Amino acid sequence: MICAIVVAAGSGTRFGGRKQFIEVAGRSVVAWSIAACRSVASQVVVVVPADITPEDLPADLQADVVVVGGATRADSVRAGLASIHPHATCIIVHDAARPVAGAALFHAVTEAIAQGAAAAICATPVTDTVKVVAQRDGRSIVVDTLDRSSLVAVQTPQAFAPDVLRAAHASGGDATDDAGLVEALGETVVVVPGAPTNVKITDASDLDLIRASLS
Ligand code: CTP
Ligand code: MG
């Protein structure tokens, strides 16, 4: 049984509001993300902000379970994990703020788990040159240039063997993605090709691209 956690409990500080609940191309962003999960998942748990009343949630948010999230993304994933079906054989974690993620990505990460991987993430090659910078005397200066050929930009969906995801979160630790916590356990994380269109809504400038993809 494939289950999914859609994390939608953020406050959208950079966007200037709860981007996961706005309407884009006739549906709320979170509803697009839930629909994408349903391409493979038979249970979808949606994690929403603690300070929102049920009437303020989008009317098209159709989840199997709705739970309240926490202060950090990892806290919100842990809240969702507590409501995952005990017979789950694979758990997907997906950002509500990535409404364009297609069924192919969900199939790819869950197939990796079915083949025995502990964790699988989708990612795209980094095309810009990436440098490490530091602050010196009030200026930003370059201290290193990374080898781009070994770098990828990580997306969601990410899929996990249930025991691995539970163990990764048992520490109560924080990371910007769940795979980071799994890596800390020493488990192998498999990378499958992501999609360039699968952008996360971070600030308002991301909306045009998202709208074009969903329309
Ligand atoms: N998220 C969450 N609980 C949190 C923080 C984030 O469920 N405490 C979710 C967001 O709703 C989003 C995803 O994690 O779907 C990715 O997070 P991000 O893009 O950083 O969204 P926000 O944290 O809402 O935005 P910001 O960092 O600008 O405040
Ligand atoms: Mg955030």
Side-chain angles (χ1 to χ4, degrees):
M1 178 184 188
I2 299 177
C3 299
I5 301 167
V6 175
V7 280
S11 46
T13 316
R14 289 165 290 179
F15 184 81
R18 288 193 168 130
K19 57 202 185 187
Q20 67 272 36
F21 299 144
I22 64 171
E23 190 188 302
V24 178
R27 256 184 183 180
S28 65
V29 167
V30 66
W32 283 109
S33 300
I34 294 168
C37 288
R38 296 230 188 259
S39 62
V40 296
S42 41
Q43 183 199 30
V44 179
V45 176
V46 178
V47 188
V48 302
D51 60 348
I52 199 164
T53 56
E55 308 83 73
D56 288 331
L57 290 173
D60 62 356
L61 190 165
Q62 281 160 4
D64 299 303
V65 186
V66 176
V67 296
V68 158
T72 66
R73 186 184 179 283
D75 289 334
S76 295
V77 173
R78 281 189 278 275
L81 204 44
S83 291
I84 284 290
H85 196 284
H87 295 158
T89 52
C90 174
I91 303 174
I92 297 164
V93 182
H94 185 48
D95 290 328
R98 289 187 192 269
V100 188
L105 297 182
F106 286 85
H107 283 287
V109 290
T110 54
E111 184 55 25
I113 303 305
Q115 301 287 322
I121 63 174
C122 47
T124 54
V126 170
T127 52
D128 290 326
T129 296
V130 180
K131 295 185 189 291
V132 180
V133 297
Q135 300 302 311
R136 295 258 203 295
D137 304 324
R139 295 187 305 172
S140 269
I141 60 148
V142 173
V143 292
D144 198 9
T145 298
L146 301 181
D147 173 15
R148 190 173 65 191
S149 67
S150 65
L151 296 176
V152 293
V154 174
Q155 308 179 336
T156 70
Q158 301 189 348
F160 304 90
D163 289 351
V164 170
L165 187 62
R166 290 194 187 100
H169 277 285
S171 64
D174 197 20
T176 53
D177 74 348
D178 302 280
L181 295 173
V182 168
E183 290 152 45
L185 294 179
E187 295 280 356
T188 301
V189 177
V190 170
V191 181
V192 305
T197 50
N198 179 22
V199 294
K200 179 164 68 73
I201 306 174
T202 299
D203 55 46
S205 66
D206 298 316
L207 271 187
D208 287 343
L209 206 60
I210 299 269
R211 203 173 277 121
S213 298
L214 293 175
S215 296

